[in-house]
Amino acid sequence: MTVEGGAVMVRVEQIPLHQIRRPLPRQNDPNKVQALMESIREIGQQEPIDVLEVDGQYYGFSGCHRYEACQRLGKETILARVRKAPKSVLRMHLA
Ligand code: ADP
């Protein structure tokens, strides 16, 4: 799916987990991860995580619990809302 709104282009697609860089690792709540694993196993991932695409590379800053849940379920991909962004936006996230 592709949505064009002005200069912003967003698409929702399955992205290989290993292609998503997570520059700011966060401490996850293991109970949340466990609950998400059960739910995702049962009904699938209901809401995509948000990722930035900068120069063809994917970066994730949120959706940490869904990311870990999918990883621990042994999934190769995760449903993501991908927003293309320039390096300046990435720098903002890293600041
Ligand atoms: P995260 O760090 O991934 O955002 P949270 O525990 O803060 O984790 O929030 C869980 C999110 O996962 C919610 O936004 C919820 O809509 C989403 N979600 C996607 N798929 C599922 C699912 N199968 N069961 C429960 N929540 C789900």
Side-chain angles (χ1 to χ4, degrees), residues 22 26 28-29 32-33 35-49 62-68:
R22 304 196 66 90
R26 284 211 209 129
N28 281 346
D29 176 342
K32 272 191 181 183
V33 172
L36 270 172
M37 283 173 69
E38 284 163 25
S39 178
I40 290 172
R41 192 187 290 122
E42 218 167 279
I43 61 170
Q45 188 188 342
Q46 299 294 299
E47 184 63 33
I49 63 165
S62 56
C64 312
H65 293 88
R66 278 164 284 178
Y67 182 91
E68 187 179 334

Side-chain angles (χ1 to χ4, degrees), residues 26-95:
R26 284 211 209 129
Q27 205 61 51
N28 281 346
D29 176 342
N31 292 328
K32 272 191 181 183
V33 172
Q34 189 61 43
L36 270 172
M37 283 173 69
E38 284 163 25
S39 178
I40 290 172
R41 192 187 290 122
E42 218 167 279
I43 61 170
Q45 188 188 342
Q46 299 294 299
E47 184 63 33
I49 63 165
D50 288 295
V51 306
L52 286 182
E53 183 185 343
V54 181
D55 293 341
Q57 176 63 57
Y58 301 113
Y59 296 88
F61 295 94
S62 56
C64 312
H65 293 88
R66 278 164 284 178
Y67 182 91
E68 187 179 334
C70 287
Q71 211 173 32
R72 290 180 55 186
L73 283 169
K75 293 187 176 293
E76 304 225 318
T77 63
I78 186 165
L79 190 65
R81 191 182 293 113
V82 182
R83 182 163 60 94
K84 277 200 178 190
K87 276 209 178 79
S88 56
V89 171
L90 179 61
R91 277 197 292 268
M92 242 165 47
H93 276 84
L94 295 172

